[in-house]
Amino acid sequence: MSADLGALRKAGLMRLSGQTPWVSVGIGTCGKGNGADEVLAALETTLKNGKSEALARRVGCFGFCAAEPLVMAYRPGKPLLLFTDVKASKAPALAKALGDNEAFAKMAKIAEAKIEVWDFRTQKITYGEDFAYLPTWKELAFFKGQEKLVLRDAGMIDPESIEEYLAVGGYSGLIKAITTMTPDSLIEEVKKSGLRGRGGAGFPTWKKWRIMRDNALASPGESYIVCNADEGDPGAYMNRNEIESDPHMLIEGMIIGAYAMGASHGIVYVRAEYPLAVERLEKALAQAKKAGLLGKQILETRFNFDIEIVTGAGAFVCGEETALIASIEGKAGRPSPRPPFPAQKGLYGRPTSINNVETWCNIPLIVARGGEYFSSFGTPPSPGTKVFSFVGKVRNTGLVELPMGSTLESAVYGMCEGMGPKKKIKGLQSGGPSGGCIPSSLFKTPIDYEHLAELGAIMGSGGMVVMDQDNCMVDVARYFIGFTANESCGKCTPCREGTSQMLNILHGVADGEASEQDLKTLESLALSIKDSSLCGLGQTTANPVLTTLKYFKDEYIQHIKAKRCPAGVCENLYVALCESSCPLHMNIPGYLQLLKENRIEDAFELTLRENPLPGSLGRICHFHCRMRCRRDMLDESVSQGEIHRYLADSMYKMGREKSIYNKLIKEKLPASGKKIAIVGAGPAGLSAAFWLCRLGHEITIYDGSTEAGGILRWGIPAYRLPKDMLKKEITLIQKLGVKFVFNTPMESKEQWQRLIDANDAVIVAVGAGHETGLGIPGESLSGVMPAGEFLKAVSENQKPKVGSEVVVVGGGNSAIDAARSALRLGASVKIVYRRARAHWRKEYRFFA
Amino acid sequence: MPSTAVAQKDGDLKHIILENRDKQGYLLKILEKAQETSPKLYLSEETMREVAHRLDIPLTQVYSVATFYSFFNLKPQGLHSIVVCRGTACHTRGSLALLNEALSMLGIKSFKEEEENSVTSLDGFASVRTVACFGQCALAPVVMIDGEVKSRMTIGRLVTLLHKMKKGG
Ligand SMILES: Cc1cc2nc3c(=O)[nH]c(=O)nc-3n(C[C@H](O)[C@H](O)[C@H](O)COP(=O)(O)O)c2cc1C
Ligand code: SF4
Ligand code: SF4
Ligand code: FES
């Protein structure tokens, strides 16, 4: 028998690292969705037609889902080459590269990375060294910091080949367990590893096994172990991938578990949406049986154990242990009260132990390499690694295997490379419907059971959905409660009725019809559902509500008070995405319509009513509206700035703005008798004056400099914003009756006191002109200058001395203004920016 | 084309029941297979009666299971099927808009996601359903059209695909 295994192992090794070159394509569900099947078919045909001896191999998923299809190429003695985003049209070139070392070296030039050695943990394969210029796979951002224990085979071996699994040390844990260990010493080894359940709650696995073994011994007869592959958390798909890429690892883990716990039957409960996982698992089970590793007299001992698959039928609650058992028994999957616990009375009333897919998958390694090897990863309370799916608003979506205790930050901004400068990540949702939302300000948190729970979230099965400014947190909470309201089995009242009540309130908030009292009701409802529900589903359903209320309360308040959904998601609370994202909430659809009808004056009037400085702002706005423009998906966002500018420039040129100014002046409300002082004559102060003055208040603006405009006047160079334009637009504010007091820097407490005493209100609109600096040594050396100071000198026409070579640190607005100004002063300029060129604002890339 | 299943004969059902009655999770397996092989992809009352009768279990148990799990259809399904993922990753990437677009293109007026699993257009042309997650979240949003998973879906692409479907392409 073992001779048989030896032959299989050898055959596998010949395929993986023998004399025959090969090319492999990662084929998991993700790969298939991205055309991996076509790539593999094209490679097969090309190799066949070329009468090549090289192989086209199917392998599992390497985890880098965003870059699928992923292809690797092998020639004996050379490193593996890794290619991302491969199209079927690449097949001829790839096939050719397998033919000789020269062509291979040429192909290496366009590879993404290389793999010189691969540590299968139970085996190491050295492929070869070469191509010094190519980064190794570990140097790619996505893989840096990952530690592949569970995913050690994924993407490297054919999941449908037991030979290849054996070749990389597969089933060596099982052989060791059965031939050299007792059940008790196995449980002891798992205890040493510190492994905790990967299905959510993190219960120590050895304890579960111990209890189960004791119960099975006390009550002779059938007993069951179950693999929970129901993976119902939307956003999590690591279990699917673990089965699809390496089904034998799961099988090996379960056989070892059965031996340790003395179980006679194994069941894998897979959700219905994972057909490929079921197919591969079925094949693997048949292979294992044929090899004598499963079934009767395993490895020629007296140990018998078999595994069956049950496919679920789409009910989230069936992930709960007692519901899962009911479901296997052919009933509706409704949970039942515990005790009795499944380990006492489980499936058909017999002792039953349930573990998550990934928990099982960790077992072979723990046995083969020892518990201490495993616990050398991660942290003492949470040893080992965990596979997470990072999805949603990040550049690199995919499966990331991290040592426990890594920070969220390292994963979101490191491996997943964030979202770039255009969008701001707001937080992430961890743990699915039972989990919570964590704001980006807490991304320094280490990822492990305790730390996530402290924040009110849970690790769950490891789904991490990243959200950015375009996601509304009220909508997120509403979405999750909608999900659980739908999935509640209906057995107990708090969960059934409570979730639908929470949902009603959340609908109200999203529709702008809720009050602050409703938020209090929402919170108390959430807490009582948590306390009084029968099963885990109800007990955790409130987490998304509680965490969004805790960390994103301001969004709820904006929905309630301002009746606005800042992200532009809740349909009743915004007009258009651009309108919603513009800080002035300009009626963009409105003036566009007027413009379309060629009513330029009316369009200008509508613009002016909301934006007193259209000509200036049109040139230098931060253009929030463009970050959300739907047109972006077609070609490019609409430049509202250009439209403000066009309207203003044409009106001023024709001198037709006067009648509109007069109209605004006439419309002024009667004097209110209130006096308001505004400190700062920059854009914020001017805007405040514009609206308050029209309401009939008496306004005085104080400013430390000699003219109005603030940053517009002193920070932005004239070639970007002509000073005449600014002056012209400020006259409107003067005409409305606003008084200006210049040369009055606010320096003393008494000055402020006097202002406060003499006015009904004081508005501080001093802007954010303070230089923060970089916080690195050498900033105070001579010749180093903050951009603001430099730009101010330029706009005062002082022609600051810059020398012949200038380095600008940064790539934002001020940096570019500074660079352009220095260029105009005759220097040669270099821009140093921390982001990649591709992540830089498009309109700036052109300067470089 | 959607299912190529032939009309379900008594014999098929009998066979399915015989083959699965001793397996773990037998009732789910039998109902799943019975639905798969029925021409309109649903469990009719007769089918459920037959299953209960042959397994010698109460009809209420069969009905309770058939209504509990979202995978089972109790109404005949349309000729084509469109499944929109409403999982978190897909939701954050705009799957609600895709669902609404599909519904409106098929002339389906209302669909209460929180109450029903699927809805079929009046002419029986297509059924639209939602799913909690396909496990392809990295390529969200995901839509399945006649059994084929399409990832990174946009409204534009969906409209094109549905037009093609309507023209019989
Ligand atoms: C509503 C609900 C859904 C669950 N879904 C899953 C699931 O999809 N996969 C899983 O492994 N555990 C799930 N669990 C947790 C399981 O009940 C159980 O704790 C776990 O499978 C135990 O395995 P472990 O000790 O290996 O983590 C869920 C629990 C609840 C309450
Ligand atoms: S908490 Fe919800 S899902 Fe759990 S038993 Fe009660 S009603 Fe059912
Ligand atoms: S350019 Fe600025 S002010 Fe104008 S609509 Fe866009 S964000 Fe608003
Ligand atoms: S959330 Fe849509 S595939 Fe997972």
Side-chain angles (χ1 to χ4, degrees):
Chain A
M1 177 63 65
S2 38
D4 266 349
L5 290 184
L8 292 175
R9 198 174 289 137
K10 211 157 162 196
L13 214 49
M14 285 306 288
R15 270 173 73 90
L16 288 174
S17 57
Q19 285 312 304
T20 319
W22 51 253
V23 56
S24 69
V25 185
I27 302 209
T29 306
C30 284
K32 277 175 177 288
N34 253 0
D37 277 332
E38 289 77 25
V39 175
L40 183 63
L43 283 164
E44 276 168 351
T45 331
T46 318
L47 289 173
K48 203 165 126 209
N49 292 345
K51 303 215 164 28
S52 165
E53 45 139 22
L55 298 173
R57 298 173 55 228
R58 163 198 47 221
V59 293
C61 164
F62 203 52
F64 198 179
C65 309
E68 298 272 3
L70 218 86
V71 167
M72 288 186 200
Y74 166 82
R75 269 191 69 77
K78 296 279 167 197
L80 296 184
L81 298 180
L82 175 71
F83 303 90
T84 54
D85 290 305
V86 178
K87 305 259 170 329
S89 58
K90 267 267 153 19
L94 280 164
K96 186 155 172 269
L98 297 181
D100 58 74
N101 279 347
E102 208 177 307
F104 198 70
K106 223 165 137 192
M107 203 64 191
K109 294 232 156 61
I110 60 159
E112 199 70 33
K114 64 180 170 186
I115 298 175
E116 296 180 328
V117 203
W118 188 263
D119 190 356
F120 288 95
R121 311 285 171 173
T122 41
Q123 176 91 329
K124 209 175 237 175
I125 294 187
T126 306
Y127 296 102
E129 282 176 28
D130 205 343
F131 318 127
Y133 56 88
L134 251 190
T136 65
W137 70 284
K138 267 281 202 187
E139 287 167 309
L140 297 184
F142 184 69
F143 296 107
K144 216 183 271 173
Q146 288 202 46
E147 203 60 75
K148 286 180 181 271
L149 297 189
V150 173
L151 299 180
R152 60 188 180 273
D153 301 338
M156 302 303 290
I157 66 168
D158 180 351
E160 299 187 14
S161 158
I162 192 171
E163 286 100 333
E164 293 188 14
Y165 183 69
L166 284 163
V168 298
Y171 288 113
S172 63
L174 173 65
I175 294 170
K176 180 174 167 189
I178 293 188
T179 54
T180 71
M181 296 171 83
T182 63
D184 288 326
S185 67
L186 265 173
I187 295 179
E188 210 44 42
E189 202 61 47
V190 176
K191 182 176 180 182
K192 231 188 272 166
S193 77
L195 174 66
R196 298 168 64 178
R198 300 299 194 234
F203 190 78
T205 303
W206 75 269
K207 242 188 217 169
K208 204 179 240 186
W209 287 24
R210 183 78 258 165
I211 297 169
M212 168 74 177
R213 176 160 182 82
D214 294 343
N215 283 327
L217 285 177
S219 147
E222 313 277 84
S223 62
Y224 299 88
I225 58 170
V226 177
C227 167
N228 189 342
D230 195 39
E231 194 160 61
D233 293 11
Y237 63 98
M238 59 289 299
N239 289 168
R240 166 178 74 66
N241 190 56
E242 284 150 7
I243 301 178
E244 281 177 8
S245 297
D246 209 2
H248 283 289
M249 192 182 284
L250 168 62
I251 296 172
E252 185 182 354
M254 287 184 73
I255 306 173
I256 297 175
Y259 177 70
M261 288 181 260
S264 51
H265 299 280
I267 294 165
V268 184
Y269 187 95
V270 193
R271 66 194 289 250
E273 290 79 7
Y274 289 175
L276 186 64
V278 172
E279 185 191 319
R280 290 197 175 152
L281 192 58
E282 270 168 356
K283 281 189 191 156
L285 286 173
Q287 290 171 346
K289 236 176 247 183
K290 198 165 156 222
L293 297 164
L294 189 65
K296 294 232 168 336
Q297 298 177 348
I298 291 172
L299 288 167
E300 295 172 332
T301 63
R302 286 168 54 201
F303 170 44
N304 303 327
F305 173 69
D306 209 347
I307 298 178
E308 268 190 61
I309 302 176
V310 174
T311 49
F316 175 65
V317 70
C318 284
E320 200 279 338
E321 301 195 348
T322 55
L324 191 148
I325 289 171
S327 177
I328 298 177
E329 289 173 348
K331 302 183 200 144
R334 291 203 174 83
S336 36
R338 306 193 281 184
F341 290 94
Q344 304 159 325
K345 273 182 109 178
L347 192 55
Y348 313 116
R350 301 292 307 156
T352 303
S353 183
I354 301 177
N355 276 122
N356 168 262
V357 177
E358 198 173 319
T359 313
W360 290 118
C361 285
N362 273 304
I363 298 298
L365 183 69
I366 290 174
V367 175
R369 296 289 301 265
E372 267 152 32
Y373 175 76
F374 180 83
S375 64
S376 69
F377 299 92
T379 62
S382 304
T385 58
K386 172 81 193 85
V387 181
F388 295 95
S389 57
F390 276 87
V391 297
K393 305 297 185 63
V394 279
R395 208 176 288 279
N396 300 336
T397 50
L399 291 181
V400 173
E401 182 170 356
L402 296 173
M404 293 272 197
S406 314
T407 63
L408 287 166
E409 187 176 58
S410 69
V412 173
Y413 299 110
M415 293 150 207
C416 304
E417 298 196 87
M419 266 307 264
K422 260 175 110 177
K423 304 269 176 175
K424 196 163 168 352
I425 290 177
K426 157 183 302 186
L428 62 71
Q429 211 279 345
S430 154
S434 313
C437 295
I438 302 172
S440 53
S441 57
L442 295 176
F443 277 7
K444 290 228 168 2
T445 310
I447 313 177
D448 57 35
Y449 299 99
E450 280 72 25
H451 280 96
L452 291 181
E454 247 167 58
L455 299 182
I458 62 164
M459 185 146 80
S461 49
M464 300 270 177
V465 185
V466 182
M467 324 233 165
D468 69 4
Q469 64 198 48
D470 297 352
N471 297 116
C472 163
M473 299 318 270
V474 173
D475 174 70
V476 168
R478 177 174 61 155
Y479 163 81
F480 277 114
I481 299 304
F483 180 88
T484 29
N486 197 12
E487 294 291 340
S488 165
C489 82
K491 185 162 179 167
C492 66
T493 324
C495 169
R496 184 186 64 235
E497 301 302 324
T499 46
S500 61
Q501 286 314 314
M502 287 204 291
L503 188 60
N504 279 342
I505 297 181
L506 288 164
H507 276 311
V509 178
D511 289 344
E513 282 157 10
S515 67
E516 280 183 78
Q517 182 53 43
D518 285 329
L519 293 189
K520 294 205 181 103
T521 315
L522 185 62
E523 192 165 354
S524 74
L525 249 173
L527 292 171
S528 49
I529 296 170
K530 205 178 171 116
D531 286 343
S532 53
S533 291
L534 173 63
C535 88
L537 189 143
Q539 288 154 14
T540 56
T541 181
N543 286 346
V545 168
L546 290 170
T547 49
T548 47
L549 273 173
K550 180 162 165 199
Y551 300 119
F552 300 95
K553 184 88 173 250
D554 54 322
E555 290 194 30
Y556 281 88
I557 298 293
Q558 272 174 307
H559 283 70
I560 290 172
K561 283 199 169 157
K563 309 261 178 257
R564 264 196 176 279
C565 173
V569 174
C570 302
E571 285 141 30
N572 288 352
L573 301 187
Y574 74 97
V575 180
L577 285 178
C578 49
E579 174 268 357
S580 159
S581 37
C582 167
L584 292 171
H585 299 304
M586 293 193 62
N587 184 350
I588 298 173
Y591 67 70
L592 287 181
Q593 185 59 34
L594 292 169
L595 201 57
K596 194 170 136 202
E597 292 163 17
N598 230 346
R599 291 160 61 185
I600 294 193
E601 267 174 57
D602 293 339
F604 177 74
E605 184 181 330
L606 189 57
T607 302
L608 193 69
R609 284 181 182 280
E610 289 166 328
N611 177 351
L613 310 168
S616 307
L617 226 50
R619 287 169 163 87
I620 54 86
C621 182
H622 203 248
F623 307 116
H624 302 265
C625 53
R626 297 194 67 168
M627 296 173 198
R628 296 293 309 275
C629 182
R630 282 225 203 274
R631 178 100 204 172
D632 218 1
M633 291 181 201
L634 271 179
D635 40 36
E636 231 183 291
S637 55
V638 179
S639 174
Q640 301 302 335
E642 289 295 325
I643 298 173
H644 302 339
R645 186 174 163 173
Y646 162 74
L647 285 173
D649 288 1
S650 358
M651 292 292 287
Y652 301 153
K653 210 165 168 187
M654 297 183 296
R656 298 240 290 270
E657 79 283 7
K658 291 197 189 78
S659 59
I660 296 167
Y661 283 7
N662 287 337
K663 206 163 160 187
L664 287 183
I665 294 167
K666 254 212 219 117
E667 275 175 12
K668 257 179 73 172
L669 294 185
S672 65
K674 301 264 185 227
K675 285 174 74 175
I676 299 175
I678 297 175
V679 179
L686 292 171
S687 310
F690 173 71
W691 273 284
L692 292 171
C693 171
R694 284 158 66 206
L695 292 174
H697 308 307
E698 189 187 329
I699 314 290
T700 313
I701 303 185
Y702 297 85
D703 196 283
S705 61
T706 53
E707 271 175 58
I711 181 95
L712 304 179
R713 174 66 187 82
W714 307 112
I716 293 171
Y719 53 82
R720 260 212 319 132
L721 172 56
K723 302 298 168 209
D724 292 346
M725 170 59 69
L726 181 64
K727 259 204 182 118
K728 157 109 232 154
E729 298 201 314
I730 293 175
T731 56
L732 164 62
I733 295 171
Q734 288 162 333
K735 279 189 183 156
L736 280 166
V738 173
K739 276 186 244 133
F740 285 85
V741 179
F742 293 116
N743 299 313
T744 319
M746 297 293 293
E747 276 157 349
S748 68
K749 228 176 154 177
E750 293 73 41
Q751 255 179 311
W752 283 105
Q753 195 54 53
R754 254 179 278 140
L755 218 53
I756 292 167
D757 293 342
N759 289 284
D760 294 290
V762 177
I763 293 175
V764 184
V766 294
H770 192 68
E771 302 279 351
T772 48
L774 293 168
I776 53 174
E779 277 182 277
S780 51
L781 291 178
S782 86
V784 181
M785 209 191 255
E789 202 176 289
F790 172 67
L791 288 169
K792 180 143 196 260
V794 171
S795 42
E796 282 167 354
N797 245 333
Q798 287 177 8
K799 298 230 162 72
K801 273 214 199 76
V802 290
S804 58
E805 277 180 53
V806 172
V807 172
V808 175
V809 182
N813 282 331
S814 304
I816 300 303
D817 281 347
R820 290 175 69 189
S821 301
L823 207 62
R824 281 164 189 248
L825 291 168
S828 94
V829 180
K830 235 192 209 125
I831 294 175
V832 190
Y833 188 32
R834 70 193 158 106
R835 298 189 201 267
R837 178 182 296 261
H839 302 175
W840 200 14
R841 274 170 68 169
K842 250 195 232 141
E843 55 274 33
Y844 289 158
R845 273 178 243 164
F846 132 101
F847 294 117
Chain B
M1 282 306 286
S3 150
T4 49
V6 284
Q8 188 173 30
K9 286 171 255 116
D10 251 12
D12 290 346
L13 195 53
K14 206 162 114 190
H15 185 72
I16 289 171
I17 292 171
L18 270 178
E19 205 172 50
N20 291 292
R21 63 179 313 155
D22 296 323
K23 290 192 180 159
Q24 304 288 356
Y26 67 101
L27 189 53
L28 283 182
K29 283 198 172 105
I30 290 168
L31 293 180
E32 281 164 11
K33 295 228 160 68
Q35 172 166 303
E36 255 165 54
T37 49
S38 100
K40 293 207 165 158
L41 296 172
Y42 82 113
L43 299 173
S44 65
E45 190 182 326
E46 300 85 84
T47 306
M48 287 189 273
R49 280 186 189 283
E50 167 98 11
V51 169
H53 173 70
R54 286 190 183 271
L55 289 173
D56 196 19
I57 55 174
L59 178 60
T60 49
Q61 185 183 347
V62 176
Y63 185 72
S64 133
V65 168
T67 49
F68 184 80
Y69 297 94
S70 66
F71 184 77
F72 297 120
N73 306 315
L74 297 188
K75 288 187 209 148
Q77 295 296 292
L79 194 58
H80 293 276
S81 95
I82 296 148
V83 190
V84 181
C85 176
R86 293 287 291 124
T88 328
C90 292
H91 178 72
T92 42
R93 285 194 168 269
S95 69
L96 186 59
L98 293 173
L99 177 63
N100 289 337
E101 188 66 38
L103 292 172
S104 83
M105 278 195 70
L106 295 168
I108 300 171
K109 292 250 161 48
S110 90
F111 174 41
K112 286 227 157 44
E113 254 191 282
E114 283 140 24
E115 285 160 27
E116 35 192 11
N117 308 317
S118 82
V119 55
T120 304
S121 61
L122 284 179
D123 56 3
F125 177 72
S127 295
V128 178
R129 59 191 300 129
T130 57
V131 69
C133 174
F134 280 116
Q136 291 216 55
C137 328
L139 305 175
V142 179
V143 175
M144 187 161 92
I145 296 181
D146 287 338
E148 239 182 86
V149 168
K150 316 261 180 195
S151 45
R152 292 199 174 122
M153 184 55 75
T154 60
I155 293 207
R157 244 179 91 212
L158 183 67
V159 170
T160 319
L161 287 167
L162 292 188
H163 271 307
K164 222 164 103 189
M165 177 192 276
K166 280 185 168 171
K167 278 199 208 128

